Amino acid sequence: MTAITPGTLSGLDLWIIGLYALTVLTIGLWVSRKIHDTDDFFLAGRSLGFAAVGFSLFASNISSTTLVGLTGQAYKSGISVANYEWMAGILFLFMAFVTVPVFFRQRITTIPEYLERRYSPTVRRYFSALTIFLSIFVDTAGSIFAGVLILQVFFPGLPFWPSCVGLALFAGAYTAAGGLRAVVYTDVIQAIVLLAGSTALTWIIFAGNDYSWSQATAGLPEGHLSLIRPLDDPDLPWLGTLIGVPVLGFYYWSTNQYIVQRVLAARSLDHARWSLTLAGLLKLTPLFIMVLPGAMAASLLPDIARADAVFPTLVTTLLPSGLRGLVLAGLIAAIMSTIDSTLNAASTLVFHDFLSDAQKARMGTRGAVRLGRILTVVFMLVAALWAPMIRHFPGIFAYLQEIFSYAVPPVVAIFMLGLFWARTTPAAALTTLIVGHSIGLATLAFKQAGWVFPHFTIVAGMTTLLCLLICVTVSLFTTPRDDAAMRSSLWRLEMTRPDKPHGWLLDYRVQVVAVAALTLAIVVAFW
């Protein structure tokens, strides 16, 4: 990445960064005094309001890789990368209608717990182990790696491996102390910082073009401001947007423990649904405050060699002292948000999915909370040790996307069929997971050997269709479950009703329609 001299950060910038660090650590210690049982540690006592959950959902996803990746990808190839963002908003709306009512009414603590009720304990533990692996080696390690790259831009000469450990220790400290409540409360602060800093950067770029849209976009390549790209587009073809992005998004938003864990911590189903419509609204903002600035930077700063350097270069070049520190605090906030989320989720999965009821009973509340904290620290260190290995991959985005595109399809297939088709069997679910992941590993190996495959989003969509076919076929030749636990795991139309009667403004269905209409208008405007 482009080296930036230490002088680009003033004393005021460093004071702002230090104040932020002190604030989040104080919150973690303060919240730790309110922990009385495992529900408090792992699910914040199921007491969070919709605003806290909604902002937390937004902040947890806008990680350092997202901030830098969205801006850099937009600089390189245009705004089509924003398809991941608005599609996430649509998936939030789907969750409000389908997945969250099913999960919430069962009062589950982990997403694998749903798979046991729908299928079997074996399927539960398989998926839990997969989620823990991806959380540590992909989400957490990837965020640590990207975070250190960012810090090295602002502080040249920063040693890589010790920085990985230091970053992980800082995030793990308040997560281990305060559990999910600390994670969510700091996420609210981080979401505000991210929105404020990115909005300021966008405003300054636009002001530098005399507030003229035509002037700001005059020097951009053809198609740079189009969301829907040709089939042969190397970055995100339209077919990938249609069949692949929804698959990756469904896994990430509907079955990913560290995301859904926040929704399960809401104080009621209504608050859970309101948080999702709020998050869906917030997910429309990255196009305007992260993606468009990156795209417009192609004419402002045409000679940046590496896309990863675009966002830090914009910050150091355009922002005044003070704001520069605020945005760097936002970058640190983004790093912290993803790391703390995945660490807490992974420890939750181990406790709830791999310990027997007898082991939990012997442990007691204090022992359980202590175990959660120990697991957080252990996972933190493992991720920090693995993070430097990512340097051997082509890039951070390639690392994240390749792994998820091959791991996600069978998971999406068994969740979708499990929610809507009572005939789906435990044997079919386990077979689909094993065969689907075998196909994914083989595809990844062949690709590394030099074989040519379609864009990874198209591969993800096609593999999901194949996994759906495998699951349906095996289900037709095996015996389904027919018990109360299985039947309660199916989605039913009556679940779409609000939990309690509200005025039309508080009816989540009205909110869903409004956010969907706004999303459609934005997509059409940038088609």
Side-chain angles (χ1 to χ4, degrees):
M1 297 182 73
T2 306
I4 309 287
T5 62
T8 55
L9 291 179
S10 67
L12 178 59
D13 295 326
L14 296 175
W15 271 103
I16 290 174
I17 295 168
L19 181 62
Y20 164 78
L22 181 63
T23 300
V24 295
L25 284 174
T26 301
I27 289 173
L29 293 173
W30 172 67
V31 169
S32 68
R33 301 169 62 183
K34 298 177 177 292
I35 293 177
H36 304 295
D37 56 30
T38 54
D39 247 15
D40 279 338
F41 187 82
F42 294 118
L43 286 178
R46 300 183 190 263
S47 62
L48 299 177
F50 75 92
V53 176
F55 276 102
S56 182
L57 286 169
F58 176 77
S60 289
N61 172 243
I62 302 298
S63 64
S64 54
T65 54
T66 306
L67 270 172
V68 175
L70 285 176
T71 308
Q73 190 69 20
Y75 177 90
K76 174 186 170 186
S77 60
I79 67 170
S80 62
V81 68
N83 290 339
Y84 293 99
E85 302 304 306
W86 66 259
M87 187 68 75
I90 297 298
L91 289 164
F92 279 140
L93 307 183
F94 175 82
M95 288 171 65
F97 271 103
V98 179
T99 56
V100 167
V102 175
F103 296 161
F104 208 89
R105 292 182 190 280
Q106 294 189 346
R107 289 188 65 82
I108 59 175
T109 302
T110 70
I111 301 306
E113 189 178 342
Y114 166 78
L115 291 179
E116 179 174 8
R117 299 186 183 190
R118 179 61 184 85
Y119 295 119
S120 69
T122 304
V123 174
R124 171 183 182 170
R125 285 190 286 271
Y126 183 108
F127 179 65
S128 186
L130 173 69
T131 305
I132 292 169
F133 175 83
L134 293 176
S135 293
I136 296 170
F137 289 94
V138 180
D139 292 316
T140 307
S143 293
I144 293 171
F145 175 82
V148 172
L149 288 182
I150 298 304
L151 291 175
Q152 286 182 327
V153 168
F154 291 94
F155 303 99
L158 207 62
F160 197 91
W161 189 86
S163 300
C164 288
V165 175
L167 198 59
L169 283 172
F170 181 76
Y174 69 83
T175 305
L180 183 64
R181 195 185 302 272
V183 170
V184 170
Y185 285 0
T186 53
D187 278 353
V188 173
I189 298 173
Q190 290 160 190
I192 294 171
V193 169
L194 293 172
L195 289 169
S198 298
T199 301
L201 183 60
T202 305
W203 183 264
I204 290 171
I205 291 175
F206 204 49
N209 288 280
D210 298 325
Y211 303 102
S212 168
W213 175 256
S214 58
Q215 182 176 325
T217 59
L220 300 182
E222 183 180 354
H224 213 63
L225 296 179
S226 175
L227 288 172
I228 308 303
R229 307 302 292 271
L231 185 60
D232 60 351
D233 186 80
D235 297 295
L236 186 55
W238 67 263
L239 184 58
T241 299
L242 180 65
I243 68 171
V245 174
V247 167
L248 298 173
F250 179 84
Y251 165 80
Y252 189 86
W253 297 108
S254 289
T255 70
N256 192 334
Q257 177 66 23
Y258 96 83
I259 294 295
V260 183
Q261 187 170 346
R262 286 157 169 67
V263 184
L264 297 177
R267 66 179 61 140
S268 69
L269 179 56
D270 283 334
H271 274 267
R273 283 166 160 162
W274 295 334
S275 73
L276 290 167
T277 56
L278 172 61
L281 190 62
L282 290 173
K283 288 299 285 182
L284 297 178
T285 61
L287 170 61
F288 300 99
I289 64 176
M290 298 173 193
V291 175
L292 280 175
M296 290 188 288
S299 58
L300 289 173
L301 303 166
D303 299 322
I304 299 178
R306 185 180 172 92
D308 287 346
V310 172
F311 190 82
T313 303
L314 286 173
V315 171
T316 55
T317 303
L318 300 179
L319 293 187
S321 178
L323 270 179
R324 198 177 298 131
L326 177 65
V327 174
L328 181 54
L331 284 169
I332 297 173
I335 299 162
M336 296 300 103
S337 184
T338 300
I339 296 171
D340 62 31
S341 302
T342 52
L343 289 174
N344 184 263
S347 61
T348 302
L349 290 171
V350 171
F351 179 79
H352 285 282
D353 294 337
F354 290 96
L355 296 183
S356 66
D357 290 338
Q359 289 173 311
K360 295 174 188 175
R362 285 197 301 271
M363 201 173 292
T365 299
R366 288 188 177 181
V369 172
R370 188 184 307 114
L371 175 64
R373 288 170 173 162
I374 292 171
L375 288 170
T376 298
V377 173
V378 170
F379 291 152
M380 168 193 67
L381 291 174
V382 171
L385 292 171
W386 175 254
M389 299 298 104
I390 301 176
R391 287 183 291 187
H392 300 293
F393 288 81
I396 181 62
F397 252 48
Y399 175 73
L400 296 173
Q401 292 168 346
E402 290 290 328
I403 299 299
F404 276 123
S405 65
Y406 301 127
V408 161
V411 173
V412 173
I414 68 167
F415 266 96
M416 291 298 288
L417 287 174
L419 284 165
F420 295 110
W421 191 38
R423 187 69 179 75
T424 314
T425 67
L430 185 59
T431 301
T432 302
L433 288 172
I434 294 172
V435 175
H437 286 134
S438 299
I439 293 171
L441 286 171
T443 305
L444 180 60
F446 287 136
K447 188 167 186 180
Q448 295 299 316
W451 289 35
V452 178
F453 287 88
H455 191 267
F456 74 89
T457 54
I458 297 176
V459 172
M462 293 171 62
T463 307
T464 302
L465 292 175
L466 177 60
C467 289
L468 287 168
L469 179 61
I470 292 170
C471 197
V472 169
T473 302
V474 177
S475 291
L476 293 175
F477 290 94
T478 52
T479 305
R481 284 177 53 183
D482 186 18
D483 53 76
M486 187 283 291
R487 288 191 295 272
S488 69
S489 302
L490 297 170
W491 179 81
R492 300 184 301 276
L493 184 60
E494 58 265 27
M495 289 183 177
T496 59
R497 298 195 199 99
D499 222 17
K500 296 179 181 177
H502 300 285
W504 67 274
L505 280 176
L506 292 179
D507 190 324
Y508 84 96
R509 295 169 296 188
V510 174
Q511 297 171 356
V512 163
V513 171
V515 175
L518 182 59
T519 303
L520 179 61
I522 290 172
V523 173
V524 171
F526 288 94
W527 188 277

